[in-house]
Every structure is written in C-alpha cells, then in structure tokens.
Amino acid sequence: MEIRKIYNRISVLREERGVSRKELAEKIGVNFQTVGYLEREEYNPSLDLAFRIAEYFGLPVDMIFSTKPMKPLSREIFDLKNKSGEYYEFNDF
Amino acid sequence: MSLTISKSKRRLAVLINYGCLLLFVGMFITGKYLEWNIAVIVCGLLALIMLLVSFIALHIKTKLWKLAHSKTADLDERELQLTLQSLRHSYIIYAIISLLVIFSLAMLAGRHDSTLIIIYAGLLYLAHTLPSAIIAWREREV
C-alpha cells in the first residue's frame, strides 16, 4: 500500500503558542524527537495521535492536518469567513 | 534515542562492528583448526577490542540499544514503528545467515551426517512459515 504524505501546521501552531517541542511532546505523550519528525512531515501520525494534537491545540483535525500542502493560516481563515458570508479583502489581515 | 551521529558514520560503524565480529570468529576458527600462532592471537584480540569499542560507540552511546530493547509500552508510536520495521528486517537477515551457516555445515558433514540436513530442512520450513503461523495463532475470527 502506498502511504500518502500528510502535511501539517504543528510547527506554526507550536510557535504561535510559545510551546517548546519537549512541552508539546509531554502533553501528547510522545518522545520529543517524534514532534520534530511530525513537524518536518517525515512521519504520519496515527489517527489517535492526530486527535490528541488537535485536542491540545483546541482545533479541528482538518485545520492541522491535510493530504494537500497547507495554506497559510491567515489565508485559511479568510477563505472560511468568505464561505460563511463575511466578505473581506485578503489585505484586511 | 540519539541519532546525532551522521548516517554515513553510523553505517561505517555497523560495517566495522560486523567486520570485527567476522574477523574474531575467523581467527578463532583458524586457531582452533589450523594453528594458534602469535599473528592469529593478536589479530583475534584486536578484533575483539575493536568489536567492543564499535559496539559501545554504535549501540550504547547513541542509545539505539535501549530503543531496540525497550518494552512496547515505553515507546511512542513512531519508535514502535521503527523498531517493528527493524525487527522485520533483522528476522529476514538473521534467518538467511543462520540457514546459510547450517547449510554449509550440513554440506560439509553431508556424507557422514544426515541429521544436519534434516535439521536444515526443518529450520528452512520454520523460517518461512513462522510469521504466518503467528498471525494464524493470534488473530481473532472475522
């Protein structure tokens, strides 16, 4: 079976929250080196680990993981707001 | 686990480690079946020392020994996947080497001892069927 690459925003979210790799690793129950592998997208997490990460950041799993390269978070929020009827110019961000 | 040593250095250490093991075993066999002379003893001792030094550098200092020998419960999912893949490759390599050694011994003693050939055939069968036998033993009914 061919394994697809899973893209993620873990490093962006971790830096945004000011959390070290070691702290994140302790919270989600993995070795801190595994966080590095996840951030470099060299390891695809299990569904359980993906949910643990999503729960830690308080975001839906599909905001953190994707099978396609991730857009910048600001772009994602802009698209979501446009979808929900709140129209903005992208430069407003 | 620490993989701070570069991959090429780790691979070199693996080659040196197993090379020394082969040399040590070779020197022992040479000494036992041909002659124990000073060259054989020195080579054997040097190989043993290098074997220990490379073992410590490759397995102990990198903590890879600890990783490969940890309980499943102490590993996270990536480490578990890594060790399972490593065990899968190890099983294949170990089975091939063991069977080649037993096959060589069976061929050397072939005319005089058919027991080794039967043992070889049994082990060959076991090596190929054991993985599926374990699945058959453990898996629940669907």
Side-chain angles (χ1 to χ4, degrees):
Chain A
M1 185 181 74
E2 195 188 327
I3 297 169
R4 289 190 294 178
K5 181 172 180 169
I6 305 287
Y7 299 88
N8 69 70
R9 290 196 173 103
I10 296 172
S11 62
V12 176
L13 292 167
R14 185 177 61 74
E15 300 225 345
E16 185 194 89
R17 314 273 169 116
V19 183
S20 70
R21 280 184 179 169
K22 213 162 191 172
E23 285 168 329
L24 177 62
E26 276 169 21
K27 295 283 180 191
I28 60 175
V30 296
N31 187 313
F32 78 96
Q33 286 177 329
T34 299
V35 175
Y37 277 86
L38 285 166
E39 288 186 354
R40 292 191 301 274
E41 292 162 346
E42 289 172 0
Y43 172 70
N44 289 351
S46 68
L47 196 55
D48 176 44
L49 183 56
F51 271 107
R52 271 187 277 153
I53 293 166
E55 280 162 17
Y56 174 75
F57 288 117
L59 291 168
V61 172
D62 61 353
M63 282 287 282
I64 305 175
F65 298 98
S66 171
T67 52
K68 293 177 188 126
M70 307 293 276
K71 287 186 267 183
L73 258 181
S74 52
R75 180 86 231 179
E76 188 93 38
I77 295 164
F78 173 78
D79 291 345
L80 279 173
K81 289 209 169 184
N82 268 356
K83 247 188 227 173
S84 66
E86 296 174 49
Y87 293 99
Y88 293 94
E89 288 295 323
F90 185 63
N91 288 340
D92 289 350
F93 286 88
Chain B
M1 177 187 62
S2 166
L3 291 176
T4 45
I5 304 174
S6 70
K7 193 174 183 178
S8 54
K9 279 186 183 167
R10 271 182 275 135
R11 286 184 168 181
L12 182 66
V14 169
L15 292 176
I16 290 171
N17 190 242
Y18 287 140
C20 290
L21 178 66
L22 266 178
L23 187 63
F24 176 69
V25 173
M27 288 299 112
F28 185 82
I29 292 169
T30 308
K32 188 169 169 62
Y33 292 100
L34 294 176
E35 186 194 1
W36 283 111
N37 58 40
I38 192 77
V40 170
I41 293 169
V42 169
C43 270
L45 281 175
L46 280 177
L48 184 63
I49 291 165
M50 278 301 290
L51 179 70
L52 289 172
V53 170
S54 56
F55 171 80
I56 291 166
L58 177 67
H59 297 283
I60 305 297
K61 286 198 170 171
T62 57
K63 296 178 185 169
L64 289 173
W65 175 270
K66 199 178 164 193
L67 173 75
H69 291 81
S70 291
K71 286 180 194 163
T72 311
D74 297 336
L75 300 172
D76 72 27
E77 58 176 53
R78 185 189 60 84
E79 293 169 323
L80 196 60
Q81 205 177 80
L82 193 69
T83 49
L84 289 178
Q85 278 172 356
S86 150
L87 280 173
R88 185 184 169 88
H89 290 131
S90 305
Y91 175 79
I92 296 166
I93 294 166
Y94 189 77
I96 290 171
I97 291 173
S98 304
L99 289 171
L100 279 176
V101 169
I102 295 167
F103 181 73
S104 309
L105 292 175
M107 286 298 107
L108 284 173
R111 283 191 188 166
H112 315 287
D113 190 2
S114 58
T115 319
L116 271 175
I117 295 168
I118 296 298
I119 290 172
Y120 172 76
L123 287 175
L124 186 65
Y125 177 79
L126 192 69
H128 281 89
T129 57
L130 204 52
S132 51
I134 288 171
I135 295 171
W137 187 270
R138 291 175 56 108
E139 275 301 288
R140 286 169 48 179
E141 285 173 38
V142 188

